[in-house]
Amino acid sequence: MTKKKVAISIGDLNGIGIQLALENHEAVSKLIEPIYCIDKTMLTQAATKLNLPIPDEFQTVENIAPHFTIEPGEVSKESGAYAYASFVKAVELAKEKKVDALTTLPIHKKAWELAGVKYKGHTDALRDFFDAEAIMMLGCPKMFVALYTEHIPLKEVAANINEADLTRFLIDFYHTAKPTSTVAVLGLNPHAGDNGVLGDEEIVIQKAIDRANTTLRQAQSTVAEPVEAYTSPMVPDVAFTPNVRKRFTHYVAMYHDQGLAPLKALYFDEGINVSLNLPILRTSVDHGTAFDIAYSGKKVNGLSYLNAVKFIVDSR
């Protein structure tokens, strides 16, 4: 069977991304045909600093961005510019149908900012590149969490919850994630508002859920036993307890840490990030640049990276 071609954006070269790429190339190449968005000069510099050999058939791409001196663990505009340019090249390859998907290695958001990049992350950029409402889903087959709001201050979350946008999000998520069972939706407030005693955002959330369920139920009109797409707003502090997790594989969180704190506590090493609702498939590791151990000689866990690649292999 022909392997899928996947563009790998190399992430921040002052971090662990390039080590992941080099150390896992053999395993990754058994699954896909990787094309690394890094030029030979920067690759040689990184490999030398890491004291790692460059594997045979390590496909690179020239003319990414200006060369710079790698400074392990440092936040710099040069590394941010290179990381962003690597990502843009990977997206171009996907747009031009030269690859089937892309996998992104970790960036540093401050480095992007220093480089003048206006986006706060990959998903934010993809939303703009494709003029599409990209959805951020993280996790592993045991538990996936989709984020309704992502990289915004906590004080702005409640104001961003409105019926129309949440309804669209729920419908888009169900169509693109294709869960096989009911999806758990978290309330925003403690005790899911306790009938308005602790906040009334759950009223809006429930209205969006009802509209999404109605729309999706109508789409299942030919199914003998249609599955109700979404639960009513669940109490957040019990939604991830062992007995509740037995019933759900997919969750929708209202904000970043509400969903990712429990996810990473449970499945940090194996989790991945998937961008849904786009014309291309993008996966990523679910961890950062790990500047504290970059180029230190310490072993880097590649499970998240390998799982990000495997998700592409298994996708329809």
Side-chain angles (χ1 to χ4, degrees), residues 13 19 25 63 84 105 132 172 186 199 259 285-286 296-297 305-306:
L13 284 171
Q19 183 177 347
H25 174 73
N63 303 314
Y84 178 67
L105 291 170
D172 288 347
L186 304 185
V285 295
D286 184 20
S296 66
Y305 176 39
L306 292 172

Side-chain angles (χ1 to χ4, degrees), residues 129-292:
F129 293 170
F130 291 98
D131 191 24
E133 293 297 334
I135 293 173
M136 183 184 290
M137 181 181 77
L138 303 98
C140 61
K142 297 170 188 172
M143 187 173 88
F144 282 110
V145 177
L147 304 180
Y148 171 63
T149 65
E150 300 159 7
H151 298 127
I152 64 171
L154 187 57
K155 64 183 178 181
E156 296 177 11
V157 171
N160 275 271
I161 296 176
N162 65 78
E163 185 180 346
D165 287 346
L166 182 54
T167 300
R168 174 197 50 74
F169 177 95
L170 294 173
I171 292 170
D172 288 347
F173 176 69
Y174 200 81
H175 284 317
T176 54
K178 298 179 175 63
T180 57
S181 58
T182 301
V183 177
V185 180
L186 304 185
L188 175 67
N189 297 296
H191 305 287
D194 242 350
N195 294 312
V197 176
L198 301 176
D200 58 7
E201 286 79 10
E202 282 71 21
I203 296 172
V204 176
I205 296 171
Q206 184 66 64
K207 288 180 179 178
I209 289 169
D210 291 342
R211 284 181 61 186
N213 279 345
T214 298
T215 300
L216 294 165
R217 195 182 302 119
Q218 290 169 349
Q220 297 184 73
S221 59
T222 59
V223 180
E225 295 183 20
V227 176
E228 193 76 322
Y230 292 102
T231 67
S232 291
M234 295 184 66
V235 175
D237 65 0
V238 298
F240 298 100
T241 55
N243 280 336
V244 175
R245 292 204 317 274
K246 290 176 184 177
R247 296 160 44 204
F248 303 104
T249 58
H250 291 68
Y251 290 78
V252 171
M254 292 299 109
Y255 61 93
H256 188 278
D257 289 6
Q258 183 188 49
L260 298 194
L263 174 66
K264 292 189 177 186
L266 291 164
Y267 304 115
F268 180 77
D269 288 334
E270 58 200 284
I272 67 170
N273 185 342
V274 183
S275 296
L276 299 173
N277 207 37
L278 291 170
I280 65 168
L281 176 59
R282 172 255 173 173
T283 67
S284 176
V285 295
D286 184 20
H287 59 73
T289 52
F291 277 176
D292 57 322

